[in-house]
Amino acid sequence: MRSLMLRLVGFTGAPVLSALAPFIILPVISRLVGDQGWANFSAGQSIGILGMVAVLFGWGIMGPVRVARSDSPTERAVILHESIRSRLVLAVIAMPVAGIVAGLVSGPSYRVETIAVAVAMTAGGLTPAWFCIGQGDARGLMIFDALPKLAASFIALPVMLIWGSVLAYPILLIGLTVPVYALHAWLNAHARLRAGQQTAAFSRIIRALAPTAVIDATGNAYGSTSIPIATAGLDATDASAFASADRAYRIGTLLVVAVGNALQAWVLDRSAVDARARHRLALCAHGVLGVMGGLGIAFLGPWATALVFGPRVAAEALPCALFGVAFFCISMATPLIRNLLIPDGRVRIVLASTVTAAAVGLTIMLTGSALGSAAVISLGVAASELSALLVLAGPALGVYRRSGDAVVRDEVSPEAVPPAI
């Protein structure tokens, strides 16, 4: 239990520090750009998240499982090297595409800044965070992911106040994170790869990761498009208020990621003799977090966003309540996907849940945009996460019941995932 608590503290610390970065920088940005530019800037961030997902191409889902079940530093180096090759190629494509889309979606206010933040966020797909999670390396997660982002925010803060432009943030974000990502790659991939060690070809890597990449992309299709949809269909004031509610929700989900990161390698430990008990603890932890976080967003969201982002762009009560429902659902779905279904090779079930969620969520969100209703768009976010949870719950319960008899899978790699869906 002591080692588990240390793991929770270590893996929670890095995402919490990452969460501090937006709290440091976003209040300044929201006040500099006002209600005319806040929705645009938030849309650029959301588009950048989609670009980041494209660069990761499933490594964030399958990568930690492969690393956690690898047997040697050399094997882990091969995994990391394969990911670097694929992600660099995809980054060259995704970064300009994200900038173009951001320019098309945003209004005239702060368009250049919106494009810049979309490109900077897309570059985040080169992060080694998933590799550190699979290793159970909280220190590496802190050094190579959290601290560079925090440093970018701290340095950008006075620069923006003096310069009066928010361009400093995306520029510093790229300038401080990408070199650190490269350093991690050198230390953990190139320096540890034995001479003559062969890695898979790019086309084979892409084919193997395609199922999980589709899941990730589909999930983010409804998870990260709410702000661009709101920006396109609402007036600037309503879109900015919606963006504040969404931003509070996204920052809150970092805690879900933190708990999931802390528990994943521990739950999937092949030497564990109490697999079902470990799964049960993870489910309980995410349940408690979901209830507390959901209530916090619902009841404190309007007050907190007014305090942090300014009263001109404060979130409204009903969208915050619906985002609270979404938070509970995503918290509960996280261990079902990461600890039960994906390690068991149930990729089709996870894909079915994301497709269902995307169909339900996007339909309602687009309807809300057409009606000019922020509340209906928020309902789409909540309905999407609830739909995903309902699809996942039954199959995940079956895997959980079997987990007490044997380790779910002795080996999981992209090659073990069914090639066709």
Side-chain angles (χ1 to χ4, degrees):
M1 184 58 69
R2 181 175 179 271
S3 62
L4 176 59
M5 294 306 297
L6 290 174
R7 181 184 292 271
L8 280 168
V9 171
F11 276 96
T12 303
V16 165
L17 282 179
S18 293
L20 286 176
F23 277 112
I24 294 167
I25 205 75
L26 291 182
V28 177
I29 291 175
S30 65
R31 286 165 172 81
L32 284 175
V33 301
D35 55 1
Q36 295 297 314
W38 178 233
N40 284 345
F41 191 86
S42 298
Q45 287 184 303
S46 297
I47 292 166
I49 291 173
L50 292 173
M52 180 174 64
V53 170
V55 174
L56 279 168
F57 203 77
W59 282 106
I61 297 176
M62 187 56 70
V65 178
R66 287 188 65 189
V67 173
R69 294 184 170 176
S70 60
D71 295 321
S72 68
T74 300
E75 185 178 350
R76 289 191 289 272
V78 170
I79 295 170
L80 183 57
H81 193 271
E82 289 178 355
S83 81
I84 293 167
R85 289 178 60 192
S86 65
R87 287 183 293 149
L88 283 175
V89 173
L90 294 170
V92 171
I93 301 170
M95 290 172 70
V97 170
I100 292 170
V101 173
L104 293 174
V105 169
S106 65
S109 299
Y110 297 92
R111 176 168 284 152
V112 173
E113 291 82 353
T114 300
I115 293 171
V117 76
V119 173
M121 295 288 288
T122 300
L126 299 172
T127 177
W130 61 269
F131 185 83
C132 298
I133 293 164
Q135 280 187 305
D137 182 11
R139 181 172 175 268
L141 186 62
M142 182 77 70
I143 294 172
F144 295 106
D145 184 71
L147 290 182
K149 295 175 183 176
L150 196 62
S153 293
F154 271 118
I155 297 172
L157 181 60
V159 175
M160 288 194 307
L161 290 173
I162 295 171
W163 185 15
S165 172
V166 300
L167 269 176
Y169 178 59
I171 292 172
L172 284 166
L173 189 61
I174 290 182
L176 292 179
T177 58
V178 173
V180 175
Y181 298 162
L183 176 61
H184 178 274
W186 174 259
L187 294 175
N188 292 276
H190 298 285
R192 294 189 177 186
L193 209 60
R194 289 189 306 218
Q197 182 74 49
Q198 296 296 316
T199 58
F202 173 78
S203 59
R204 183 184 175 195
I205 297 170
I206 295 300
R207 286 196 304 271
L209 286 169
T212 48
V214 171
I215 292 170
D216 210 7
T218 307
N220 280 278
Y222 67 83
S224 298
T225 55
S226 57
I227 291 182
I229 289 173
T231 302
L234 305 179
D235 61 46
T237 301
D238 290 341
S240 293
F242 178 88
S244 294
D246 184 273
R247 189 60 53 220
Y249 166 68
R250 302 300 168 188
I251 292 172
T253 57
L254 289 173
L255 293 175
V256 177
V257 174
V259 173
N261 291 348
L263 295 174
Q264 186 176 35
W266 179 75
V267 171
L268 297 179
D269 187 352
R270 289 187 295 180
S271 64
V273 295
D274 55 347
R276 183 177 295 176
R278 295 190 179 202
H279 283 298
R280 185 164 56 248
L281 189 148
L283 290 168
C284 290
H286 278 277
V288 171
L289 175 62
V291 171
M292 294 180 64
L295 290 174
I297 293 171
F299 289 103
L300 300 178
W303 170 80
T305 54
L307 178 66
V308 175
F309 303 131
R312 292 176 60 188
V313 296
E316 297 179 353
L318 182 55
C320 283
L322 292 168
F323 274 114
V325 174
F327 183 89
F328 172 79
C329 294
I330 199 172
S331 183
M332 290 305 302
T334 296
L336 304 186
I337 295 173
R338 296 178 58 164
N339 300 341
L340 291 166
L341 294 171
I342 288 294
D344 194 51
R346 306 294 295 275
V347 178
R348 291 183 176 89
I349 295 297
V350 180
L351 178 60
S353 74
T354 56
V355 170
T356 302
V360 172
L362 289 174
T363 299
I364 297 175
M365 284 189 278
L366 290 171
T367 301
S369 180
L371 295 173
S373 172
V376 176
I377 299 175
S378 304
L379 177 63
V381 177
S384 64
E385 299 298 350
L386 178 59
S387 300
L389 180 60
L390 292 175
V391 174
L392 294 168
L397 179 60
V399 177
Y400 168 76
R401 287 170 175 167
R402 296 198 308 273
S403 66
D405 303 322
V407 177
V408 174
R409 289 236 180 191
D410 191 52
E411 184 67 29
V412 175
S413 68
E415 290 78 12
V417 176
I421 298 177

